[in-house]
Amino acid sequence: MNLPVPVLTIGLLIASNIFMTFAWYGHLKFKSAPLITVVLVSWGIAFFEYLLQVPANRFGYGHFSAAQLKTIQEVISLSVFVLFSWFYLGEKITWNVALGFALICLGAFFIFHRFGGPAH
């Protein structure tokens, strides 16, 4: 089965960002664990992030520009992080976080919208 490039790229980026978020922030629930332990565990988790992130960018580049790939990655990263901080860390999503995220999404609109110029 051959998936369309956008589906493959975005799917890999979502999976990659789930691993990344746990690698970077998952240890916050384990404040008593030694720092070297959480660093090594995080490094191990990040390995799987790279196994997904690198192919996502390789497959997506050409269909998307580098700026578009980075924008997709950042929007996915923030989306995953908001859900992670809400469900896993139990943090509330405040109005200013929601507004900030909306402004970032507005920035993504400008990255993807063609204002009469050439395609990316």
Side-chain angles (χ1 to χ4, degrees), residues 22-90:
F22 273 96
W24 287 12
Y25 302 101
H27 62 88
L28 296 178
K29 286 184 96 172
F30 305 98
K31 296 290 278 180
S32 63
L35 183 58
I36 188 66
T37 301
V38 296
V39 167
L40 292 174
V41 169
S42 293
W43 194 19
I45 295 169
F47 171 76
F48 295 100
E49 175 214 347
Y50 275 79
L51 284 178
L52 299 166
Q53 179 81 12
V54 171
N57 288 327
R58 176 69 63 102
F59 295 136
Y61 187 66
H63 183 86
F64 298 110
S65 69
Q68 288 174 327
L69 279 171
K70 184 60 180 171
T71 302
I72 293 166
Q73 189 277 327
E74 291 300 333
V75 169
I76 290 170
S77 179
L78 288 171
S79 299
V80 168
F81 182 77
V82 165
L83 293 172
F84 173 87
S85 64
W86 182 29
F87 287 115
Y88 185 78
L89 296 176

